[in-house]
Amino acid sequence: VPPAGSPVRSYPDACVGMAVKDFTPLAGPILLQDWLCKRGPTIDYKWMRRWCVLRPGVLEYYADEKCAVKRGSVPLTVGATAVPFKLRDSQLNPKAPGDSIKHYRERPFGFAVDVDPLGGRRRRLF
């Protein structure tokens, strides 16, 4: 549950226990939810606005806050890390993966989720 005064919007009745695409109930309580911009995978890898729902072990993203159309999910396994594009001093994070250098100025709070930091070139970033 977000702390009192948290800037994150919460619509607990919007998604809890609702069926999505495959008609299976969603698991776990909602910890946080709000709009985020997610990049790709589209032909031009543009940034898309998605309604994101954080649950224990998974970050799910939807077309809108009604959670009727699930667009995907990111498994948050033990060892997964969120790597920010930018450091606190406004410089590019040298540990930022992929093409973060292209986006760190326009997306100052951007981050990539690395579900397998030890996976080398085989790892999948979100």
Side-chain angles (χ1 to χ4, degrees):
V1 175
S6 171
V8 176
R9 295 184 299 171
S10 181
Y11 301 94
D13 296 331
C15 303
V16 175
M18 182 177 184
V20 178
K21 271 190 182 178
D22 59 359
F23 300 102
T24 57
L26 298 174
I30 294 172
L31 303 174
L32 295 172
Q33 58 186 337
D34 206 344
W35 290 103
L36 291 175
C37 290
K38 182 189 176 305
R39 186 167 175 252
T42 60
I43 291 174
D44 59 356
Y45 274 83
K46 63 183 177 178
W47 291 90
M48 299 294 295
R49 191 170 183 234
R50 297 287 184 227
W51 181 255
C52 294
V53 177
L54 178 65
R55 298 175 187 277
V58 66
L59 175 65
E60 301 167 328
Y61 49 98
Y62 299 87
D64 59 34
E65 62 248 29
K66 293 177 184 173
C67 301
V69 180
K70 187 174 182 180
R71 296 291 187 189
S73 62
V74 179
L76 301 175
T77 57
V78 174
T81 59
V83 183
F85 292 173
K86 203 175 201 182
L87 299 175
R88 289 180 189 235
D89 62 4
S90 298
Q91 297 297 316
L92 173 67
N93 181 355
K95 295 182 181 180
D99 59 358
S100 303
I101 193 166
K102 295 178 186 176
H103 307 290
Y104 85 101
R105 285 190 177 94
E106 67 188 56
R107 306 276 179 199
F109 301 104
F111 63 92
V113 176
D114 189 346
V115 296
D116 184 13
L118 301 177
R121 291 184 169 268
R122 295 175 295 133
R123 71 184 193 203
R124 185 168 178 206
L125 302 173
F126 294 90

